[in-house]
Amino acid sequence: IRGRTTEMLAALAAYTDHPVLGVGPGQYLPYYSVRYQALPEISIRDIPLPRRAHNLYLEVAAETGTVGLVIFMAIPLLLLADLGRLRRTLFAWRPDLARLAAGFTLVLLAYLGTGVFLHLAFERYYWVMVALTASVVGMLEQAAQPEPIGALDPLAEAAWA
C-alpha cells in the first residue's frame, strides 16, 4: 500500500508541476517517476526504480495535463450520457435494446472504476471497448428513430409490388 501510494503521489506531484500539458505522453515513467518518487514530502516508501502511477487518472493527468485529462474523460462520459439517454428512450418499447445499452454502460463504468487502482494497461482493449460502445450507440440511435407512418417491412413491401 505504501508503494502504490508513493507512486500515485508522485504522479500527482508531476501533474501539479506541469498542470496544463503535463510532462508529455509516455514521458512520465522513464524520465519523471523516479525523481518524483524520491521527493521527501511524497516518499512513503523508497522506490528507486521507474514505476507507473497505478492510477489511470493520475497517470493521464501527469503525462497529458489538464487538457489531455479533459479530452480523455470526455470520450467515455459522452458515451455514458448517450447510452443513458438511449436506455431511457428504448426502455418502454424495445427492452432488449435498452438492456444492450445498460450492458455497455456497465462495461464502461467497470473499466473507469478499475482505473482508480490500475493504469492504462492493455490500452488497445480499452479503445476496442470504446469503439464497440460507439458503434452500439450509433445502432441504438437508428433504432430509436420513429418509423414513418405507413412504412412497411421490406419483405411486405416486396409482396405488395
Side-chain angles (χ1 to χ4, degrees), residues 27-77:
Q27 302 301 306
Y28 173 72
L29 177 65
Y31 301 111
Y32 292 90
S33 64
V34 175
R35 185 175 100 198
Y36 281 101
Q37 289 168 170
L39 293 175
E41 61 270 12
I42 290 174
S43 183
I44 298 172
R45 178 178 170 215
D46 183 36
I47 305 173
L49 302 170
R51 295 289 305 246
R52 295 193 69 164
H54 289 93
N55 182 303
L56 171 66
Y57 311 107
L58 290 175
E59 190 165 326
V60 169
E63 289 189 346
T64 60
T66 303
V67 173
L69 184 62
V70 167
I71 292 169
F72 181 80
M73 290 306 299
I75 296 168
L77 292 178

Side-chain angles (χ1 to χ4, degrees), residues 83 87 97-109:
L83 286 169
R87 188 185 61 78
L97 295 180
R99 285 191 293 272
L100 182 65
F104 274 89
T105 299
L106 291 175
V107 166
L108 279 177
L109 289 176

Side-chain angles (χ1 to χ4, degrees), residues 111-130:
Y111 194 92
L112 294 175
T114 60
V116 174
F117 304 105
L118 298 170
H119 52 271
L120 193 56
F122 308 108
E123 182 176 359
R124 68 180 69 97
Y125 301 117
Y126 171 72
W127 292 114
V128 166
M129 180 185 62
V130 167

